[in-house]
């Protein structure tokens, strides 16, 4: 971070606004007086700073924190929000893809993580007549760590 004081300034403004609104007890914002909101604010500050300072490597951190904050907020406040482990690789995959849009690197891990998590998320909502798909997803659930290890080893061993 070239301009640390700029990042710290944005962060202090965001967190200060959060605590001011919390003290004022604005009724429409009562659902946002929680720790996931702090993750959302910090992630948004990383994204804003990354955009204004043209330091695109912070896009990953910002997207990751924003996604985790939104996810934990969704779990706490919405009954329809998926409480499935596949949300975490999806958030990380989206963070890789957002950063890759500006840095032109990191597409492969983002695509792999999204491709792993999306079918798993969809598997919890498919109708019964997709029985063969359920069996496939059950196999993937059992072996997905091995698949991740194999892909990671491949990425470490391949020649650039």
């Amino acid at each position: 971070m070239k301009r640390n004081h700029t990042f710290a300034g944005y962060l202090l403004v965001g967190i200060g606004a959060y605590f001011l609104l919390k003290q004022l007890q604005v009724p429409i914002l009562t659902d946002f007086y929680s720790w996931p909101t702090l993750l959302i604010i910090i992630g948004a500050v990383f994204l804003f700073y990354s955009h204004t300072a043209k330091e695109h490597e912070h896009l990953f951190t910002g997207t990751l924190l924003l996604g985790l904050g939104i996810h934990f907020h969704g779990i706490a406040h919405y009954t329809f929000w998926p409480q499935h482990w596949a949300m975490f690789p999806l958030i990380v995959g989206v963070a890789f893809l957002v950063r890759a849009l500006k840095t032109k690197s990191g597409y492969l891990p983002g695509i792999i993580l999204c491709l792993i998590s999306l079918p798993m998320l969809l598997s919890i909502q498919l109708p019964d007549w997709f029985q063969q798909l359920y069996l496939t997803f059950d196999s993937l659930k059992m072996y997905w760590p091995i698949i991740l290890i194999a892909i990671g080893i491949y990425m470490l061993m391949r020649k650039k």
Side-chain angles (χ1 to χ4, degrees), residues 80-125:
F80 64 86
W81 198 267
Q83 295 187 28
H84 196 271
W85 64 266
M87 285 298 291
F88 298 109
L90 179 65
I91 293 168
V92 174
V94 168
F96 270 114
L97 292 174
V98 167
R99 188 191 66 187
L101 290 173
K102 289 292 187 179
T103 63
K104 306 296 184 231
S105 68
Y107 283 110
L108 184 62
I111 291 170
I112 289 170
L113 287 170
C114 287
L115 287 176
I116 288 170
S117 62
L118 282 175
M120 296 303 165
L121 275 174
L122 295 175
S123 72
I124 60 176
Q125 299 173 359

